[in-house]
């Protein structure tokens, strides 16, 4: 029995700290990869949304061109009643207003996204560095 007691190895605290460091490194890497995946997914969604808005603006432009052409093809008596210039001016004003509004929304969205991404990255880095500092305190 004395031989069995001698064969048992003593486990040092450093052995646990190395294992913990390895696990935290793995957790950190997985967390960073997950964060990067979420960011790339968010950016792809923004690209799709911007593409849809561009298509909607193109459809809107085609529609306004079609309306203008329709009013121009009407007989002179009808166009005088509808006053095509006034209608075209209002349609152009509305189209310009919508384009400017969409531009403002895009700029605000891009700015918000960039600031949010930077803030989130800083928070992740701070949290992981605090965790590393804590592990260094535990180390003997």
């Amino acid at each position: 029995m004395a031989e069995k007691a001698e064969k048992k190895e003593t486990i040092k605290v450093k052995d646990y700290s190395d294992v913990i460091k390895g696990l935290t490194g793995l957790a950190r890497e997985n967390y960073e990869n997950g964060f990067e995946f979420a960011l790339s997914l968010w950016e792809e969604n923004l690209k799709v949304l911007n593409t849809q808005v561009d298509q909607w603006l193109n459809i809107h432009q085609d529609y306004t061109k079609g309306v203008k052409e329709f009013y121009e093809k009407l007989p002179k008596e009808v166009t005088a009643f509808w006053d095509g210039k006034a209608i075209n001016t209002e349609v152009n004003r509305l189209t310009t207003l919508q384009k400017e509004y969409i531009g403002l929304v895009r700029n605000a969205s891009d700015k918000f996204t960039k600031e949010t991404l930077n803030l989130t990255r800083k928070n992740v880095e701070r949290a992981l560095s605090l965790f590393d500092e804590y592990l260094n305190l535990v180390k003997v």
Side-chain angles (χ1 to χ4, degrees), residues 1 8 14 23 29-30 37 39 47 65 74 92-93 98 101 108:
M1 287 212 160
K8 287 186 180 177
K14 287 184 181 180
L23 290 174
E29 184 179 333
N30 286 337
F37 175 73
L39 293 181
K47 287 178 185 177
K65 285 179 185 177
L74 289 175
N92 288 337
R93 190 174 67 85
Q98 286 177 342
Y101 176 74

Side-chain angles (χ1 to χ4, degrees), residues 23-80:
L23 290 174
T24 55
L26 182 62
R28 179 182 206 157
E29 184 179 333
N30 286 337
Y31 189 76
E32 288 174 350
N33 288 340
F35 177 70
E36 290 297 323
F37 175 73
L39 293 181
S40 66
L41 188 61
W42 190 354
E43 290 172 351
E44 287 299 318
N45 286 339
L46 285 176
K47 287 178 185 177
V48 169
L49 183 63
N50 283 332
T51 303
Q52 289 176 345
V53 168
D54 288 338
Q55 289 175 351
W56 181 79
L57 284 174
N58 289 337
I59 290 170
H60 184 70
Q61 268 185 328
D62 291 342
Y63 173 75
T64 54
K65 285 179 185 177
V67 169
K68 285 179 186 178
E69 290 174 3
F70 174 74
Y71 282 123
E72 289 172 2
K73 290 180 182 178
L74 289 175
K76 298 294 181 192
E77 298 82 25
V78 177
T79 55

Side-chain angles (χ1 to χ4, degrees), residues 6 26 70 92 96 116 119 128:
E6 290 177 15
L26 182 62
F70 174 74
N92 288 337
T96 304
T116 302
L119 182 63
L128 294 174

Side-chain angles (χ1 to χ4, degrees), residues 27-36 39 116-132:
R28 179 182 206 157
E29 184 179 333
N30 286 337
Y31 189 76
E32 288 174 350
N33 288 340
F35 177 70
E36 290 297 323
L39 293 181
T116 302
L117 294 178
N118 288 334
L119 182 63
T120 306
R121 279 190 178 126
K122 288 178 184 177
N123 285 338
V124 167
E125 290 172 4
R126 285 180 187 162
L128 294 174
S129 67
L130 286 173
F131 192 68
D132 286 341

